[in-house]
Amino acid sequence: MLIEKATEVLEEKGVKLIYGPMNGTTWNQYRCLKYTNNEPEFLLEKVGSIDQNDMFKDAGFNLCYEYLSTKGKINDAYTSDFLDELKSELEDNGIFIRNFNKENAEQDLKSIFKVAMYGFSHNPLYTDIPEEMFIKQYSQYIGSCDEDFILIAEKEDKVIGFLFAMPDYNEVQILGKKKPETLILKTIAVLPEYENYSIGSSMLDMIRIKALEKKYKNWIFAF
């Protein structure tokens, strides 16, 4: 009833196209669950229920965009000597990859802000947010993050890319495991002028190596 009434009001105001659900912007919850394999929701993946999806369909809405998160075994990941060569080439080009610094968290978040804005700008229905809102949104996760799983690529002290991943603590809270066995790869972004340097591939391989060292079994690609 709410969806139908909202649609009626918007049509009266001359609105021609309506998207839903949208909690303000894509920085907040803005998706419905269309399908699940009955695994519990993983951390950072806040979506509406399948019932909510059905409600929109019943109200006459059509599917516009689809999003898929994939889960795999870290041991099954592609490995090659070529990836080691890539890392050497990056350093030869003055590009270095380091870990996020929790001691200087706000400064590091500020430094990746512009890269994040570019990386997210390709998403459907994207809108910019102020830097302070970005820092506030990400700061709430920093305390529970592992610095080994947040990587920052720099050239001449300028941040040109980053990868943000964190353990799936829902496995502890929901499934009762003693420690997470799954790593969530949530965000990866590189400035356009550096996209041909394979920085993303190098960062992913670094994450793979560190995850196996720390006994993680699975990873979820939630980009």
Side-chain angles (χ1 to χ4, degrees):
M1 290 172 62
L2 282 170
I3 294 172
E4 289 173 355
K5 184 61 179 177
T7 301
E8 180 185 317
V9 170
L10 289 169
E11 286 176 346
E12 289 174 357
K13 292 179 178 293
V15 173
K16 302 295 184 185
L17 183 64
I18 305 167
Y19 286 105
M22 178 70 72
N23 183 16
T25 73
T26 57
W27 292 90
N28 302 314
Q29 183 173 313
Y30 69 103
R31 296 189 290 258
C32 294
L33 188 62
K34 179 184 176 185
Y35 165 81
T36 176
N37 59 0
N38 295 318
E39 286 199 16
E41 180 181 290
F42 58 85
L43 194 66
L44 303 180
E45 187 66 352
K46 298 178 179 179
V47 297
S49 65
I50 289 179
D51 288 343
Q52 188 184 55
N53 186 57
D54 292 339
M55 288 176 196
F56 274 91
K57 285 165 58 180
D58 291 344
F61 282 70
N62 297 309
L63 177 66
C64 187
Y65 298 104
E66 287 185 287
Y67 172 88
L68 178 68
S69 294
T70 56
K71 185 176 184 179
K73 300 289 184 184
I74 301 175
N75 266 328
D76 292 341
Y78 167 81
T79 59
S80 167
D81 292 340
F82 175 65
L83 290 168
D84 293 327
E85 294 172 18
L86 278 180
K87 293 168 192 171
S88 297
E89 287 181 14
L90 288 180
E91 293 185 6
D92 291 342
N93 284 285
I95 298 171
F96 297 90
I97 299 172
R98 66 171 175 86
N99 291 51
F100 186 87
N101 183 2
K102 279 188 177 182
E103 302 271 327
N104 198 23
E106 184 169 337
Q107 187 56 47
D108 267 359
L109 285 173
K110 284 182 178 181
S111 66
I112 67 175
F113 172 68
K114 290 182 179 179
V115 183
M117 293 303 99
Y118 167 76
F120 298 157
S121 65
H122 305 296
N123 294 345
L125 312 178
Y126 168 84
T127 53
D128 287 332
I129 61 169
E131 181 183 73
E132 58 269 22
M133 190 178 294
F134 172 84
I135 292 171
K136 181 179 180 181
Q137 185 153 330
Y138 270 78
S139 292
Q140 62 183 312
Y141 301 114
I142 295 303
S144 56
C145 283
D146 185 331
E147 290 170 312
D148 285 334
F149 297 134
I150 307 177
L151 302 180
I152 296 176
E154 294 177 321
K155 182 177 175 66
E156 297 175 352
D157 295 325
K158 174 188 175 184
V159 173
I160 60 174
F162 75 98
L163 187 154
F164 178 80
M166 70 181 299
D168 183 10
Y169 291 110
N170 277 10
E171 291 186 328
V172 176
Q173 297 173 358
I174 297 175
L175 300 179
K177 294 183 179 180
K178 291 183 178 180
K179 66 177 289 294
E181 296 177 349
T182 301
L183 193 66
I184 304 163
L185 296 140
K186 186 63 178 172
T187 306
I188 185 169
V190 177
L191 291 177
E193 58 267 37
Y194 296 99
E195 287 180 343
N196 293 326
Y197 285 81
S198 298
I199 295 171
S201 297
S202 295
M203 290 194 292
L204 281 171
D205 194 51
M206 292 172 70
I207 292 291
R208 176 190 67 83
I209 293 169
K210 188 57 67 174
L212 289 175
E213 284 178 7
K214 296 193 173 189
K215 310 300 182 185
Y216 285 89
K217 298 178 180 179
N218 315 298
W219 52 6
I220 294 173
F221 288 80
F223 303 134

